[in-house]
Amino acid sequence: MKKLKLIGLTCLVIALGLGQINAQNSNEYKLDMSSGKLIVKELDEVEFEASSNGSVTITNRDNDREKSERAKGLRLINGLGLEDNTGIGLNVEKTSGGATINQISRTGSGEYLIKVPKGVTIVFENGSVYSKSVSFKNINSEIEATTTHCDVRLENVTGPMTISTVHGDIDGAFGTINQSNPISIISSHGDIDLSIPIATKANFTISTNWGEIYSDLEIEIEKTADSMKRYNQNKVNGKMNGGGVNMNISSTHGSIYLRKK
């Protein structure tokens, strides 16, 4: 009798363990992809991280939100004709050049972590008023990000990259900067605050129409001999460590802060 109880208890523990594993797996979606372009659209809150394996892994960190009782048994769809084919609130479509990921819900379905292999180019697009933030951590492949309301966070990134936001701030820190292709970082209404390694070789174009430029970097500024004054614009052209990769950093209404790292 005791043996039967022990076996039953063991089975229960195993079942609970499998249940936990399945619950964890239900928050994750894997995409076999080690090269090409990963296009991610309209995710309201997402963090990109480097991955050491040959696949893209997407995790919904907040997939336990209460769902409407009326929606039980129904699939989430939207006006683009897309439906959730991942189980975590996203639609994934494989293409010849890579894959495209779309958020299905207009107001978001969670907070996502996307781990991306080194050979994959990341393209992020978000024009939603519900968007919150996007971050890139330890990414050393190419990044293209275009947002309207997102704040953009960079952590130990190398470039090349093109970052553009309308209403968001851009802040973070570079690792060893890739010299192969230009870097462009632009915000229309937000501030830009970046830490740059002191050994970086770069040609800087830094500008703001209504803000200020602050820096403790050793930038050799090119002085202009313009005979006419330019109002409502503060533009700096200069070289660091003799010049190198072209870096364009611009904010229309915000200020720019460039710091030693």
Side-chain angles (χ1 to χ4, degrees):
M1 188 68 178
K2 288 183 179 180
K3 184 179 289 188
L4 289 174
K5 286 183 179 180
L6 182 59
I7 293 172
L9 181 60
T10 303
C11 291
L12 178 61
V13 170
I14 293 172
L16 289 173
L18 289 173
Q20 289 178 348
I21 292 172
N22 289 332
Q24 290 172 357
N25 289 342
S26 68
N27 287 357
E28 185 177 279
Y29 179 87
K30 286 190 176 181
L31 175 64
D32 289 332
M33 183 177 176
S34 58
S35 62
K37 188 174 288 189
L38 181 69
I39 302 173
V40 180
K41 296 183 177 182
E42 305 305 325
L43 271 68
D44 292 337
E45 192 166 4
V46 57
E47 178 180 337
F48 293 92
E49 277 190 9
S51 171
S52 58
N53 57 38
S55 63
V56 173
T57 304
I58 311 165
T59 304
N60 189 340
R61 292 167 162 170
D62 189 21
N63 200 28
D64 297 324
R65 296 182 179 182
E66 289 187 12
K67 296 181 179 179
S68 167
E69 287 291 326
R70 295 181 182 227
K72 285 187 176 179
L74 306 178
R75 298 189 310 276
L76 183 64
I77 62 174
N78 66 14
L80 296 175
L82 302 175
E83 62 181 57
D84 181 1
N85 62 0
T86 63
I88 56 173
L90 303 176
N91 175 272
V92 174
E93 179 184 359
K94 295 182 180 179
T95 64
S96 58
T100 299
I101 300 173
N102 278 278
Q103 179 172 285
I104 304 300
S105 172
R106 183 182 64 172
T107 57
S109 300
E111 177 186 343
Y112 294 94
L113 170 65
I114 302 180
K115 293 188 175 182
V116 183
K118 182 178 179 180
V120 175
T121 296
I122 300 170
V123 179
F124 177 76
E125 303 171 2
N126 192 309
S128 171
V129 296
Y130 299 101
S131 62
K132 296 177 182 178
S133 64
V134 57
S135 65
F136 302 90
K137 184 177 180 181
N138 299 325
I139 302 293
N140 53 16
S141 53
E142 187 173 356
I143 300 170
E144 300 173 25
T146 305
T147 81
T148 302
H149 297 278
C150 272
D151 289 329
V152 181
R153 171 72 184 173
L154 308 172
E155 183 177 344
N156 193 33
V157 294
T158 65
M161 68 180 65
T162 302
I163 308 289
S164 177
T165 182
V166 178
H167 296 287
D169 294 330
I170 303 172
D171 68 282
F174 282 91
T176 302
I177 292 179
N178 190 314
Q179 294 284 316
S180 63
N181 289 294
I183 291 173
S184 177
I185 298 177
I186 299 172
S187 178
S188 295
H189 296 279
D191 292 331
I192 299 174
D193 193 326
L194 300 172
S195 295
I196 297 174
I198 58 174
T200 299
K201 294 179 178 291
N203 299 320
F204 284 103
T205 300
I206 311 163
S207 63
T208 174
N209 283 34
W210 302 96
E212 300 290 350
I213 300 172
Y214 302 91
S215 177
D216 61 358
L217 296 174
E218 300 297 330
I219 300 175
E220 183 182 347
I221 298 175
E222 298 176 5
K223 297 181 180 179
T224 60
D226 292 346
S227 59
M228 299 183 68
K229 294 180 179 178
R230 292 176 298 170
Y231 293 96
N232 300 331
Q233 186 177 32
N234 190 4
K235 185 174 182 179
V236 170
N237 291 318
K239 295 182 178 181
M240 184 172 168
N241 294 316
V245 65
N246 290 328
M247 296 186 68
N248 176 41
I249 302 171
S250 174
S251 177
T252 304
H253 295 276
S255 290
I256 296 172
Y257 308 84
L258 301 179
R259 308 175 188 275
K260 289 180 180 179
K261 179 185 174 187

